[in-house]
Amino acid sequence: DIQMTQSPSSVSASVGDRVTITCRASQDISSWLAWYQQKPGKAPKLLIYAASSLQSGVPSRFSGSASGTDFTLTIRSLQPEDFATYYCQQAKSFPLTFGGGTKVEIK
Amino acid sequence: EVQLVESGGGLVQPGGSLRLSCAASNFPFSSYALSWVRQAPGKGLEWVSFISGSGAGTYYADSVKGRFTISRDNSKNTLYLQMNSLRAEDTALYYCAKGPGITGATELDYWGQGTLVTVSS
């Protein structure tokens, strides 16, 4: 199984800050990586697929990048509605696996 | 707008069974693969099972293999998860989620709101 290691597990940030979340795959997954946002009591929402493609309707302040087996989600200028938990997921093979999550909290 | 509405959750004793349903609307149901993903209280996301658009292809997490069965009725636009031999560690919110294509490992582009399964005596 492909393991996804996400860091940090939590980050405190202020509105307007740039936030970076990292996910590392245990083996090559090419660009088969997605990012989700989950707010308390809500279902996850797809933000980015294929490592760097923005899902329709997602603000452009969200971006994704890849370097080998390392993947990054960047929020360019944090907005109040961005405080949430973020998960990565590999989409290379079954079983699908998720990272442990990163909670973005208000500083 | 794509809609996925889960139902069938509830309280069940260890060793018991439950069948979850996911009613889909506003997209050509048989053209898209679906998955079940669960989230234990206060924990992260865990993929459970996948079924292709035709229903011919299925996959399971090792944690549920042999106990859970995924199926779909394309005439009713409904996805199912039959859960047998339930354990306390199966307690979670179960989400139905749609893939962007008819089969294959992919991201999940739409999710339902979930149905809660509690396994306890």
Side-chain angles (χ1 to χ4, degrees), chain A residues 77-89:
Chain A
S77 175
L78 201 65
Q79 297 301 300
E81 60 269 28
D82 300 336
F83 291 95
T85 300
Y86 294 84
Y87 294 93
C88 62
Q89 175 233 320

Side-chain angles (χ1 to χ4, degrees), chain B residues 23-41:
Chain B
S25 57
N26 301 329
F27 67 97
F29 186 72
S30 62
S31 295
Y32 293 92
L34 296 165
S35 281
W36 287 100
V37 177
R38 67 186 180 183
Q39 187 169 35

Side-chain angles (χ1 to χ4, degrees), chain A residues 23-71:
Chain A
C23 197
R24 174 169 290 174
S26 62
Q27 59 187 265
D28 178 27
I29 60 170
S30 186
S31 294
W32 300 106
L33 192 282
W35 290 98
Y36 301 87
Q37 176 193 66
Q38 186 179 34
K39 296 181 179 180
K42 300 294 186 182
K45 172 188 172 184
L46 178 64
L47 298 176
I48 286 172
Y49 63 96
S52 59
S53 296
L54 204 63
Q55 176 70 351
S56 175
V58 174
S60 59
R61 62 180 179 274
F62 291 92
S63 65
S65 64
S67 177
T69 57
D70 291 339
F71 300 85

Side-chain angles (χ1 to χ4, degrees), chain B:
Chain B
E1 176 76 13
V2 168
Q3 274 207 313
L4 298 166
V5 180
E6 302 92 337
S7 61
L11 175 64
V12 61
Q13 292 189 339
S17 298
L18 214 53
R19 188 176 84 154
L20 306 184
S21 299
C22 173
S25 57
N26 301 329
F27 67 97
F29 186 72
S30 62
S31 295
Y32 293 92
L34 296 165
S35 281
W36 287 100
V37 177
R38 67 186 180 183
Q39 187 169 35
K43 302 297 184 182
L45 301 171
E46 180 188 15
W47 172 81
V48 172
S49 185
F50 163 96
I51 188 166
S52 63
S54 68
T58 59
Y59 293 89
Y60 297 91
D62 284 347
S63 58
V64 307
K65 202 172 295 183
R67 301 187 299 123
F68 291 10
T69 302
I70 193 171
S71 63
R72 63 192 296 162
D73 186 335
N74 286 347
S75 69
K76 295 182 177 179
N77 287 5
T78 303
L79 172 72
Y80 302 101
L81 185 68
Q82 177 66 43
M83 304 187 295
N84 298 331
S85 303
L86 282 161
R87 307 166 180 167
E89 54 265 37
D90 296 318
T91 294
L93 186 62
Y94 284 73
Y95 293 104
C96 160
K98 171 189 163 294
I102 197 166
T103 191
T106 64
E107 67 277 7
L108 301 168
D109 56 4
Y110 289 92
W111 297 59
Q113 287 306 301
T115 186
L116 182 63
V117 173
T118 303
V119 184
S120 175
S121 54

